[in-house]
Amino acid sequence: SLQPDENLYSADATYKSYIKLTGRDSSPVDAGGVHYYYLSGDALSTGSNTSVSNPTFYLENGSTEAALVDGAEYDVDGYIYDLAGNLYHAINVDDQTYDVTNPTIRKIITTLGASSVTKKKDDNVNIRVYFSEDVTADGAVTVTLDTQDDSGVDGTAVISAWPNDNDATNVKDGTYTVGADDASGDLTVFSIATASTISDRSGNNMSSFSIPADSNLADYAAILVDGVMPYLTKMTADPNSGALSLSETTTITAEFSELVTLTGTVDFVLSSNTRPYSINSVADGLDANSNPVSQGSIDYTVQAGDLEASVLSISSLDFSAGGKIVDAAGNEVTSISQPGNQELRDNASLTVETVAPVIGSITTTYATGVYGQGAEIPVTLNFLNGAAGSAEDVALTGTGTIN
């Protein structure tokens, strides 16, 4: 805006007031270029405060347009003539940059460096955003990272607002904290957004938030994110069907969701007895989809008095005191539970019995009477589950003789 303290000369071009912009010798563009803006109309009158938007600049002749060049550095001088023809050097400002380009995002890096690094749940990751020039932001800027599939909520780093001109900068830092189930083989930024305005020193607003190709976080760093906590995926038995009798054995296996290290033991109790069983170690293996996992096993050998007439199951399961599993990223789990629909009873149909069958009775369907030589009389052996037990089905092997 312009406001002279007295009326300026306006009769002819002899004493024509003007503002001159001269390209500095060190300017990257338009060095030595000279541009004139000649005052006219209300701008020549005292008491007025005339705003000029998009002024047209000319060569000294006042007729040939000479537009300013974006990015050029100019020295600004203003010369005005009063009604008596007195000349005043009213403006003398050096090294002003003419900028009509909107700011953009230049690159995104991290202070973690280029070496490969793994971050587990609750770990922090520095996110550093570089802009094309110094900017301010009226509100918070949200950096969204690609850490979830379509069904999850991606992780974010929120940069607080920096609205003051004195705080204008071309680089800002935010912090992303690895959340539950976050995962990435090479962490990258999905988007940058704000509900407010990001502006440069010239008042140009950022209109594009796109990240240049080869300038995303993954191009400068190798950050593996693992916020997925390991867990017990299933309990199995081998053999997994049939009836187990005294001294017979089945191998019970606990399978985890990924490769883990076991500290302490996995302790459980079976429904066939009250004895505790402990898995002391795990080994690398493959799940049904050939993914690497850890598995731990223990043999269950049926002892006298063990009984499970329905289906063998696990009645309780937990870590020993101080027990835990830790995955490769360092995610630590100190409590454990049986997985839904993948408990032992879901994956095995075993029963347990240690009472030997006995013959409870011998019967026939023939009536009482005397039968001659060669007569065949059908005989049925009825077995019981022990002397005081109820009727029980048995399997006979070989042959026997009834006298």
Side-chain angles (χ1 to χ4, degrees), residues 204-230:
N204 301 303
N205 296 333
M206 183 179 290
S207 57
S208 172
F209 290 80
S210 61
I211 303 167
D214 302 324
S215 296
N216 207 319
L217 178 62
D219 298 305
Y220 298 96
I223 303 171
L224 187 150
V225 172
D226 181 1
V228 181
M229 307 300 285

mmCIF file with all atom_site columns, all heavy atoms in Angstrom, residues 204-230:
data_model
loop_
_atom_site.group_PDB
_atom_site.id
_atom_site.type_symbol
_atom_site.label_atom_id
_atom_site.label_alt_id
_atom_site.label_comp_id
_atom_site.label_asym_id
_atom_site.label_entity_id
_atom_site.label_seq_id
_atom_site.pdbx_PDB_ins_code
_atom_site.Cartn_x
_atom_site.Cartn_y
_atom_site.Cartn_z
_atom_site.occupancy
_atom_site.B_iso_or_equiv
_atom_site.pdbx_formal_charge
_atom_site.auth_seq_id
_atom_site.auth_comp_id
_atom_site.auth_asym_id
_atom_site.auth_atom_id
_atom_site.pdbx_PDB_model_num
ATOM 1   N N   . ASN A 1 204 ? 2.555  -17.345 -0.172 1.00 0.00 ? 204 ASN A N   1
ATOM 2   C CA  . ASN A 1 204 ? 2.099  -18.392 -1.076 1.00 0.00 ? 204 ASN A CA  1
ATOM 3   C C   . ASN A 1 204 ? 1.744  -19.634 -0.258 1.00 0.00 ? 204 ASN A C   1
ATOM 4   O O   . ASN A 1 204 ? 2.531  -20.086 0.576  1.00 0.00 ? 204 ASN A O   1
ATOM 5   C CB  . ASN A 1 204 ? 3.196  -18.737 -2.091 1.00 0.00 ? 204 ASN A CB  1
ATOM 6   C CG  . ASN A 1 204 ? 3.610  -17.550 -2.927 1.00 0.00 ? 204 ASN A CG  1
ATOM 7   O OD1 . ASN A 1 204 ? 2.792  -16.933 -3.595 1.00 0.00 ? 204 ASN A OD1 1
ATOM 8   N ND2 . ASN A 1 204 ? 4.900  -17.214 -2.887 1.00 0.00 ? 204 ASN A ND2 1
ATOM 9   N N   . ASN A 1 205 ? 0.546  -20.176 -0.506 1.00 0.00 ? 205 ASN A N   1
ATOM 10  C CA  . ASN A 1 205 ? 0.069  -21.329 0.249  1.00 0.00 ? 205 ASN A CA  1
ATOM 11  C C   . ASN A 1 205 ? 0.422  -22.639 -0.440 1.00 0.00 ? 205 ASN A C   1
ATOM 12  O O   . ASN A 1 205 ? 0.375  -22.736 -1.668 1.00 0.00 ? 205 ASN A O   1
ATOM 13  C CB  . ASN A 1 205 ? -1.445 -21.257 0.435  1.00 0.00 ? 205 ASN A CB  1
ATOM 14  C CG  . ASN A 1 205 ? -1.864 -20.068 1.266  1.00 0.00 ? 205 ASN A CG  1
ATOM 15  O OD1 . ASN A 1 205 ? -1.099 -19.577 2.101  1.00 0.00 ? 205 ASN A OD1 1
ATOM 16  N ND2 . ASN A 1 205 ? -3.080 -19.591 1.048  1.00 0.00 ? 205 ASN A ND2 1
ATOM 17  N N   . MET A 1 206 ? 0.763  -23.626 0.367  1.00 0.00 ? 206 MET A N   1
ATOM 18  C CA  . MET A 1 206 ? 1.019  -24.948 -0.192 1.00 0.00 ? 206 MET A CA  1
ATOM 19  C C   . MET A 1 206 ? -0.277 -25.535 -0.720 1.00 0.00 ? 206 MET A C   1
ATOM 20  O O   . MET A 1 206 ? -1.288 -25.593 -0.014 1.00 0.00 ? 206 MET A O   1
ATOM 21  C CB  . MET A 1 206 ? 1.633  -25.873 0.875  1.00 0.00 ? 206 MET A CB  1
ATOM 22  C CG  . MET A 1 206 ? 1.987  -27.252 0.344  1.00 0.00 ? 206 MET A CG  1
ATOM 23  S SD  . MET A 1 206 ? 2.738  -28.328 1.600  1.00 0.00 ? 206 MET A SD  1
ATOM 24  C CE  . MET A 1 206 ? 4.323  -27.524 1.787  1.00 0.00 ? 206 MET A CE  1
ATOM 25  N N   . SER A 1 207 ? -0.277 -25.948 -1.973 1.00 0.00 ? 207 SER A N   1
ATOM 26  C CA  . SER A 1 207 ? -1.477 -26.514 -2.591 1.00 0.00 ? 207 SER A CA  1
ATOM 27  C C   . SER A 1 207 ? -1.301 -27.991 -2.933 1.00 0.00 ? 207 SER A C   1
ATOM 28  O O   . SER A 1 207 ? -2.282 -28.715 -3.073 1.00 0.00 ? 207 SER A O   1
ATOM 29  C CB  . SER A 1 207 ? -1.834 -25.739 -3.861 1.00 0.00 ? 207 SER A CB  1
ATOM 30  O OG  . SER A 1 207 ? -0.748 -25.739 -4.778 1.00 0.00 ? 207 SER A OG  1
ATOM 31  N N   . SER A 1 208 ? -0.067 -28.418 -3.068 1.00 0.00 ? 208 SER A N   1
ATOM 32  C CA  . SER A 1 208 ? 0.208  -29.823 -3.356 1.00 0.00 ? 208 SER A CA  1
ATOM 33  C C   . SER A 1 208 ? 1.019  -30.420 -2.209 1.00 0.00 ? 208 SER A C   1
ATOM 34  O O   . SER A 1 208 ? 2.051  -29.875 -1.814 1.00 0.00 ? 208 SER A O   1
ATOM 35  C CB  . SER A 1 208 ? 0.988  -29.966 -4.666 1.00 0.00 ? 208 SER A CB  1
ATOM 36  O OG  . SER A 1 208 ? 1.416  -31.308 -4.855 1.00 0.00 ? 208 SER A OG  1
ATOM 37  N N   . PHE A 1 209 ? 0.542  -31.558 -1.687 1.00 0.00 ? 209 PHE A N   1
ATOM 38  C CA  . PHE A 1 209 ? 1.220  -32.232 -0.587 1.00 0.00 ? 209 PHE A CA  1
ATOM 39  C C   . PHE A 1 209 ? 1.870  -33.529 -1.048 1.00 0.00 ? 209 PHE A C   1
ATOM 40  O O   . PHE A 1 209 ? 2.198  -34.391 -0.237 1.00 0.00 ? 209 PHE A O   1
ATOM 41  C CB  . PHE A 1 209 ? 0.233  -32.510 0.544  1.00 0.00 ? 209 PHE A CB  1
ATOM 42  C CG  . PHE A 1 209 ? -0.223 -31.281 1.263  1.00 0.00 ? 209 PHE A CG  1
ATOM 43  C CD1 . PHE A 1 209 ? -1.218 -30.462 0.737  1.00 0.00 ? 209 PHE A CD1 1
ATOM 44  C CD2 . PHE A 1 209 ? 0.355  -30.906 2.466  1.00 0.00 ? 209 PHE A CD2 1
ATOM 45  C CE1 . PHE A 1 209 ? -1.638 -29.317 1.392  1.00 0.00 ? 209 PHE A CE1 1
ATOM 46  C CE2 . PHE A 1 209 ? -0.059 -29.760 3.139  1.00 0.00 ? 209 PHE A CE2 1
ATOM 47  C CZ  . PHE A 1 209 ? -1.052 -28.961 2.592  1.00 0.00 ? 209 PHE A CZ  1
ATOM 48  N N   . SER A 1 210 ? 2.038  -33.676 -2.344 1.00 0.00 ? 210 SER A N   1
ATOM 49  C CA  . SER A 1 210 ? 2.636  -34.897 -2.868 1.00 0.00 ? 210 SER A CA  1
ATOM 50  C C   . SER A 1 210 ? 4.110  -34.977 -2.496 1.00 0.00 ? 210 SER A C   1
ATOM 51  O O   . SER A 1 210 ? 4.801  -33.965 -2.366 1.00 0.00 ? 210 SER A O   1
ATOM 52  C CB  . SER A 1 210 ? 2.471  -34.960 -4.388 1.00 0.00 ? 210 SER A CB  1
ATOM 53  O OG  . SER A 1 210 ? 3.130  -33.862 -5.000 1.00 0.00 ? 210 SER A OG  1
ATOM 54  N N   . ILE A 1 211 ? 4.574  -36.191 -2.330 1.00 0.00 ? 211 ILE A N   1
ATOM 55  C CA  . ILE A 1 211 ? 5.969  -36.453 -1.976 1.00 0.00 ? 211 ILE A CA  1
ATOM 56  C C   . ILE A 1 211 ? 6.717  -36.816 -3.253 1.00 0.00 ? 211 ILE A C   1
ATOM 57  O O   . ILE A 1 211 ? 6.310  -37.739 -3.968 1.00 0.00 ? 211 ILE A O   1
ATOM 58  C CB  . ILE A 1 211 ? 6.069  -37.596 -0.954 1.00 0.00 ? 211 ILE A CB  1
ATOM 59  C CG1 . ILE A 1 211 ? 5.248  -37.246 0.296  1.00 0.00 ? 211 ILE A CG1 1
ATOM 60  C CG2 . ILE A 1 211 ? 7.515  -37.868 -0.577 1.00 0.00 ? 211 ILE A CG2 1
ATOM 61  C CD1 . ILE A 1 211 ? 5.028  -38.419 1.219  1.00 0.00 ? 211 ILE A CD1 1
ATOM 62  N N   . PRO A 1 212 ? 7.780  -36.119 -3.582 1.00 0.00 ? 212 PRO A N   1
ATOM 63  C CA  . PRO A 1 212 ? 8.487  -36.393 -4.836 1.00 0.00 ? 212 PRO A CA  1
ATOM 64  C C   . PRO A 1 212 ? 8.990  -37.836 -4.907 1.00 0.00 ? 212 PRO A C   1
ATOM 65  O O   . PRO A 1 212 ? 9.325  -38.449 -3.887 1.00 0.00 ? 212 PRO A O   1
ATOM 66  C CB  . PRO A 1 212 ? 9.662  -35.406 -4.821 1.00 0.00 ? 212 PRO A CB  1
ATOM 67  C CG  . PRO A 1 212 ? 9.242  -34.337 -3.869 1.00 0.00 ? 212 PRO A CG  1
ATOM 68  C CD  . PRO A 1 212 ? 8.391  -35.000 -2.843 1.00 0.00 ? 212 PRO A CD  1
ATOM 69  N N   . ALA A 1 213 ? 9.036  -38.360 -6.116 1.00 0.00 ? 213 ALA A N   1
ATOM 70  C CA  . ALA A 1 213 ? 9.565  -39.704 -6.323 1.00 0.00 ? 213 ALA A CA  1
ATOM 71  C C   . ALA A 1 213 ? 11.004 -39.780 -5.820 1.00 0.00 ? 213 ALA A C   1
ATOM 72  O O   . ALA A 1 213 ? 11.781 -38.828 -5.951 1.00 0.00 ? 213 ALA A O   1
ATOM 73  C CB  . ALA A 1 213 ? 9.499  -40.067 -7.806 1.00 0.00 ? 213 ALA A CB  1
ATOM 74  N N   . ASP A 1 214 ? 11.340 -40.916 -5.228 1.00 0.00 ? 214 ASP A N   1
ATOM 75  C CA  . ASP A 1 214 ? 12.692 -41.163 -4.699 1.00 0.00 ? 214 ASP A CA  1
ATOM 76  C C   . ASP A 1 214 ? 13.057 -40.227 -3.546 1.00 0.00 ? 214 ASP A C   1
ATOM 77  O O   . ASP A 1 214 ? 14.239 -40.060 -3.236 1.00 0.00 ? 214 ASP A O   1
ATOM 78  C CB  . ASP A 1 214 ? 13.750 -41.031 -5.807 1.00 0.00 ? 214 ASP A CB  1
ATOM 79  C CG  . ASP A 1 214 ? 13.504 -41.988 -6.958 1.00 0.00 ? 214 ASP A CG  1
ATOM 80  O OD1 . ASP A 1 214 ? 13.057 -43.117 -6.694 1.00 0.00 ? 214 ASP A OD1 1
ATOM 81  O OD2 . ASP A 1 214 ? 13.744 -41.597 -8.110 1.00 0.00 ? 214 ASP A OD2 1
ATOM 82  N N   . SER A 1 215 ? 12.063 -39.616 -2.927 1.00 0.00 ? 215 SER A N   1
ATOM 83  C CA  . SER A 1 215 ? 12.336 -38.686 -1.832 1.00 0.00 ? 215 SER A CA  1
ATOM 84  C C   . SER A 1 215 ? 11.509 -39.002 -0.595 1.00 0.00 ? 215 SER A C   1
ATOM 85  O O   . SER A 1 215 ? 11.310 -38.154 0.262  1.00 0.00 ? 215 SER A O   1
ATOM 86  C CB  . SER A 1 215 ? 12.054 -37.244 -2.282 1.00 0.00 ? 215 SER A CB  1
ATOM 87  O OG  . SER A 1 215 ? 12.934 -36.864 -3.315 1.00 0.00 ? 215 SER A OG  1
ATOM 88  N N   . ASN A 1 216 ? 11.008 -40.246 -0.520 1.00 0.00 ? 216 ASN A N   1
ATOM 89  C CA  . ASN A 1 216 ? 10.227 -40.668 0.636  1.00 0.00 ? 216 ASN A CA  1
ATOM 90  C C   . ASN A 1 216 ? 11.146 -41.284 1.685  1.00 0.00 ? 216 ASN A C   1
ATOM 91  O O   . ASN A 1 216 ? 12.327 -41.532 1.449  1.00 0.00 ? 216 ASN A O   1
ATOM 92  C CB  . ASN A 1 216 ? 9.147  -41.670 0.221  1.00 0.00 ? 216 ASN A CB  1
ATOM 93  C CG  . ASN A 1 216 ? 7.942  -41.657 1.138  1.00 0.00 ? 216 ASN A CG  1
ATOM 94  O OD1 . ASN A 1 216 ? 8.065  -41.569 2.345  1.00 0.00 ? 216 ASN A OD1 1
ATOM 95  N ND2 . ASN A 1 216 ? 6.758  -41.746 0.550  1.00 0.00 ? 216 ASN A ND2 1
ATOM 96  N N   . LEU A 1 217 ? 10.596 -41.522 2.845  1.00 0.00 ? 217 LEU A N   1
ATOM 97  C CA  . LEU A 1 217 ? 11.369 -42.025 3.971  1.00 0.00 ? 217 LEU A CA  1
ATOM 98  C C   . LEU A 1 217 ? 12.130 -43.297 3.610  1.00 0.00 ? 217 LEU A C   1
ATOM 99  O O   . LEU A 1 217 ? 13.307 -43.458 3.979  1.00 0.00 ? 217 LEU A O   1
ATOM 100 C CB  . LEU A 1 217 ? 10.425 -42.277 5.155  1.00 0.00 ? 217 LEU A CB  1
ATOM 101 C CG  . LEU A 1 217 ? 11.042 -42.846 6.425  1.00 0.00 ? 217 LEU A CG  1
ATOM 102 C CD1 . LEU A 1 217 ? 12.071 -41.883 7.005  1.00 0.00 ? 217 LEU A CD1 1
ATOM 103 C CD2 . LEU A 1 217 ? 9.950  -43.138 7.459  1.00 0.00 ? 217 LEU A CD2 1
ATOM 104 N N   . ALA A 1 218 ? 11.474 -44.195 2.898  1.00 0.00 ? 218 ALA A N   1
ATOM 105 C CA  . ALA A 1 218 ? 12.103 -45.471 2.567  1.00 0.00 ? 218 ALA A CA  1
ATOM 106 C C   . ALA A 1 218 ? 13.280 -45.313 1.614  1.00 0.00 ? 218 ALA A C   1
ATOM 107 O O   . ALA A 1 218 ? 14.102 -46.234 1.488  1.00 0.00 ? 218 ALA A O   1
ATOM 108 C CB  . ALA A 1 218 ? 11.065 -46.418 1.954  1.00 0.00 ? 218 ALA A CB  1
ATOM 109 N N   . ASP A 1 219 ? 13.386 -44.172 0.944  1.00 0.00 ? 219 ASP A N   1
ATOM 110 C CA  . ASP A 1 219 ? 14.519 -43.930 0.047  1.00 0.00 ? 219 ASP A CA  1
ATOM 111 C C   . ASP A 1 219 ? 15.774 -43.511 0.805  1.00 0.00 ? 219 ASP A C   1
ATOM 112 O O   . ASP A 1 219 ? 16.881 -43.546 0.248  1.00 0.00 ? 219 ASP A O   1
ATOM 113 C CB  . ASP A 1 219 ? 14.157 -42.848 -0.980 1.00 0.00 ? 219 ASP A CB  1
ATOM 114 C CG  . ASP A 1 219 ? 12.990 -43.255 -1.860 1.00 0.00 ? 219 ASP A CG  1
ATOM 115 O OD1 . ASP A 1 219 ? 13.079 -44.330 -2.475 1.00 0.00 ? 219 ASP A OD1 1
ATOM 116 O OD2 . ASP A 1 219 ? 11.985 -42.518 -1.901 1.00 0.00 ? 219 ASP A OD2 1
ATOM 117 N N   . TYR A 1 220 ? 15.612 -43.107 2.067  1.00 0.00 ? 220 TYR A N   1
ATOM 118 C CA  . TYR A 1 220 ? 16.745 -42.636 2.858  1.00 0.00 ? 220 TYR A CA  1
ATOM 119 C C   . TYR A 1 220 ? 17.039 -43.519 4.075  1.00 0.00 ? 220 TYR A C   1
ATOM 120 O O   . TYR A 1 220 ? 18.079 -43.363 4.706  1.00 0.00 ? 220 TYR A O   1
ATOM 121 C CB  . TYR A 1 220 ? 16.474 -41.210 3.360  1.00 0.00 ? 220 TYR A CB  1
ATOM 122 C CG  . TYR A 1 220 ? 16.315 -40.203 2.259  1.00 0.00 ? 220 TYR A CG  1
ATOM 123 C CD1 . TYR A 1 220 ? 15.057 -39.847 1.788  1.00 0.00 ? 220 TYR A CD1 1
ATOM 124 C CD2 . TYR A 1 220 ? 17.434 -39.605 1.685  1.00 0.00 ? 220 TYR A CD2 1
ATOM 125 C CE1 . TYR A 1 220 ? 14.912 -38.908 0.774  1.00 0.00 ? 220 TYR A CE1 1
ATOM 126 C CE2 . TYR A 1 220 ? 17.291 -38.663 0.664  1.00 0.00 ? 220 TYR A CE2 1
ATOM 127 C CZ  . TYR A 1 220 ? 16.028 -38.328 0.211  1.00 0.00 ? 220 TYR A CZ  1
ATOM 128 O OH  . TYR A 1 220 ? 15.889 -37.413 -0.794 1.00 0.00 ? 220 TYR A OH  1
ATOM 129 N N   . ALA A 1 221 ? 16.113 -44.418 4.417  1.00 0.00 ? 221 ALA A N   1
ATOM 130 C CA  . ALA A 1 221 ? 16.268 -45.227 5.625  1.00 0.00 ? 221 ALA A CA  1
ATOM 131 C C   . ALA A 1 221 ? 15.742 -46.633 5.375  1.00 0.00 ? 221 ALA A C   1
ATOM 132 O O   . ALA A 1 221 ? 15.059 -46.895 4.375  1.00 0.00 ? 221 ALA A O   1
ATOM 133 C CB  . ALA A 1 221 ? 15.525 -44.579 6.790  1.00 0.00 ? 221 ALA A CB  1
ATOM 134 N N   . ALA A 1 222 ? 16.091 -47.544 6.281  1.00 0.00 ? 222 ALA A N   1
ATOM 135 C CA  . ALA A 1 222 ? 15.621 -48.932 6.209  1.00 0.00 ? 222 ALA A CA  1
ATOM 136 C C   . ALA A 1 222 ? 15.070 -49.301 7.582  1.00 0.00 ? 222 ALA A C   1
ATOM 137 O O   . ALA A 1 222 ? 15.759 -49.882 8.420  1.00 0.00 ? 222 ALA A O   1
ATOM 138 C CB  . ALA A 1 222 ? 16.752 -49.862 5.803  1.00 0.00 ? 222 ALA A CB  1
ATOM 139 N N   . ILE A 1 223 ? 13.810 -48.913 7.815  1.00 0.00 ? 223 ILE A N   1
ATOM 140 C CA  . ILE A 1 223 ? 13.185 -49.089 9.129  1.00 0.00 ? 223 ILE A CA  1
ATOM 141 C C   . ILE A 1 223 ? 12.146 -50.209 9.048  1.00 0.00 ? 223 ILE A C   1
ATOM 142 O O   . ILE A 1 223 ? 11.158 -50.097 8.319  1.00 0.00 ? 223 ILE A O   1
ATOM 143 C CB  . ILE A 1 223 ? 12.510 -47.791 9.602  1.00 0.00 ? 223 ILE A CB  1
ATOM 144 C CG1 . ILE A 1 223 ? 13.531 -46.648 9.626  1.00 0.00 ? 223 ILE A CG1 1
ATOM 145 C CG2 . ILE A 1 223 ? 11.892 -47.992 10.982 1.00 0.00 ? 223 ILE A CG2 1
ATOM 146 C CD1 . ILE A 1 223 ? 12.913 -45.293 9.877  1.00 0.00 ? 223 ILE A CD1 1
ATOM 147 N N   . LEU A 1 224 ? 12.398 -51.277 9.762  1.00 0.00 ? 224 LEU A N   1
ATOM 148 C CA  . LEU A 1 224 ? 11.437 -52.372 9.853  1.00 0.00 ? 224 LEU A CA  1
ATOM 149 C C   . LEU A 1 224 ? 10.592 -52.158 11.101 1.00 0.00 ? 224 LEU A C   1
ATOM 150 O O   . LEU A 1 224 ? 11.132 -51.976 12.191 1.00 0.00 ? 224 LEU A O   1
ATOM 151 C CB  . LEU A 1 224 ? 12.151 -53.714 9.919  1.00 0.00 ? 224 LEU A CB  1
ATOM 152 C CG  . LEU A 1 224 ? 11.268 -54.967 9.843  1.00 0.00 ? 224 LEU A CG  1
ATOM 153 C CD1 . LEU A 1 224 ? 12.033 -56.117 9.188  1.00 0.00 ? 224 LEU A CD1 1
ATOM 154 C CD2 . LEU A 1 224 ? 10.782 -55.410 11.227 1.00 0.00 ? 224 LEU A CD2 1
ATOM 155 N N   . VAL A 1 225 ? 9.293  -52.164 10.932 1.00 0.00 ? 225 VAL A N   1
ATOM 156 C CA  . VAL A 1 225 ? 8.359  -51.947 12.043 1.00 0.00 ? 225 VAL A CA  1
ATOM 157 C C   . VAL A 1 225 ? 7.640  -53.249 12.358 1.00 0.00 ? 225 VAL A C   1
ATOM 158 O O   . VAL A 1 225 ? 7.073  -53.896 11.476 1.00 0.00 ? 225 VAL A O   1
ATOM 159 C CB  . VAL A 1 225 ? 7.336  -50.850 11.695 1.00 0.00 ? 225 VAL A CB  1
ATOM 160 C CG1 . VAL A 1 225 ? 6.251  -50.773 12.766 1.00 0.00 ? 225 VAL A CG1 1
ATOM 161 C CG2 . VAL A 1 225 ? 8.024  -49.510 11.544 1.00 0.00 ? 225 VAL A CG2 1
ATOM 162 N N   . ASP A 1 226 ? 7.681  -53.643 13.631 1.00 0.00 ? 226 ASP A N   1
ATOM 163 C CA  . ASP A 1 226 ? 6.981  -54.840 14.080 1.00 0.00 ? 226 ASP A CA  1
ATOM 164 C C   . ASP A 1 226 ? 6.289  -54.526 15.401 1.00 0.00 ? 226 ASP A C   1
ATOM 165 O O   . ASP A 1 226 ? 6.877  -54.607 16.468 1.00 0.00 ? 226 ASP A O   1
ATOM 166 C CB  . ASP A 1 226 ? 7.961  -56.000 14.253 1.00 0.00 ? 226 ASP A CB  1
ATOM 167 C CG  . ASP A 1 226 ? 7.262  -57.284 14.694 1.00 0.00 ? 226 ASP A CG  1
ATOM 168 O OD1 . ASP A 1 226 ? 6.025  -57.277 14.854 1.00 0.00 ? 226 ASP A OD1 1
ATOM 169 O OD2 . ASP A 1 226 ? 7.961  -58.300 14.883 1.00 0.00 ? 226 ASP A OD2 1
ATOM 170 N N   . GLY A 1 227 ? 5.036  -54.146 15.286 1.00 0.00 ? 227 GLY A N   1
ATOM 171 C CA  . GLY A 1 227 ? 4.233  -53.891 16.472 1.00 0.00 ? 227 GLY A CA  1
ATOM 172 C C   . GLY A 1 227 ? 3.265  -55.020 16.766 1.00 0.00 ? 227 GLY A C   1
ATOM 173 O O   . GLY A 1 227 ? 2.352  -54.873 17.572 1.00 0.00 ? 227 GLY A O   1
ATOM 174 N N   . VAL A 1 228 ? 3.466  -56.158 16.068 1.00 0.00 ? 228 VAL A N   1
ATOM 175 C CA  . VAL A 1 228 ? 2.584  -57.313 16.240 1.00 0.00 ? 228 VAL A CA  1
ATOM 176 C C   . VAL A 1 228 ? 3.136  -58.195 17.358 1.00 0.00 ? 228 VAL A C   1
ATOM 177 O O   . VAL A 1 228 ? 4.244  -58.731 17.253 1.00 0.00 ? 228 VAL A O   1
ATOM 178 C CB  . VAL A 1 228 ? 2.473  -58.123 14.931 1.00 0.00 ? 228 VAL A CB  1
ATOM 179 C CG1 . VAL A 1 228 ? 1.540  -59.311 15.123 1.00 0.00 ? 228 VAL A CG1 1
ATOM 180 C CG2 . VAL A 1 228 ? 1.975  -57.235 13.796 1.00 0.00 ? 228 VAL A CG2 1
ATOM 181 N N   . MET A 1 229 ? 2.372  -58.327 18.412 1.00 0.00 ? 229 MET A N   1
ATOM 182 C CA  . MET A 1 229 ? 2.821  -59.112 19.555 1.00 0.00 ? 229 MET A CA  1
ATOM 183 C C   . MET A 1 229 ? 2.699  -60.611 19.241 1.00 0.00 ? 229 MET A C   1
ATOM 184 O O   . MET A 1 229 ? 1.706  -61.054 18.651 1.00 0.00 ? 229 MET A O   1
ATOM 185 C CB  . MET A 1 229 ? 1.994  -58.783 20.791 1.00 0.00 ? 229 MET A CB  1
ATOM 186 C CG  . MET A 1 229 ? 1.941  -57.294 21.113 1.00 0.00 ? 229 MET A CG  1
ATOM 187 S SD  . MET A 1 229 ? 3.568  -56.584 21.415 1.00 0.00 ? 229 MET A SD  1
ATOM 188 C CE  . MET A 1 229 ? 3.899  -57.227 23.051 1.00 0.00 ? 229 MET A CE  1
ATOM 189 N N   . PRO A 1 230 ? 3.697  -61.413 19.617 1.00 0.00 ? 230 PRO A N   1
ATOM 190 C CA  . PRO A 1 230 ? 3.591  -62.858 19.398 1.00 0.00 ? 230 PRO A CA  1
ATOM 191 C C   . PRO A 1 230 ? 2.519  -63.461 20.300 1.00 0.00 ? 230 PRO A C   1
ATOM 192 O O   . PRO A 1 230 ? 2.222  -62.929 21.372 1.00 0.00 ? 230 PRO A O   1
ATOM 193 C CB  . PRO A 1 230 ? 4.984  -63.365 19.764 1.00 0.00 ? 230 PRO A CB  1
ATOM 194 C CG  . PRO A 1 230 ? 5.514  -62.360 20.731 1.00 0.00 ? 230 PRO A CG  1
ATOM 195 C CD  . PRO A 1 230 ? 4.947  -61.035 20.298 1.00 0.00 ? 230 PRO A CD  1
#
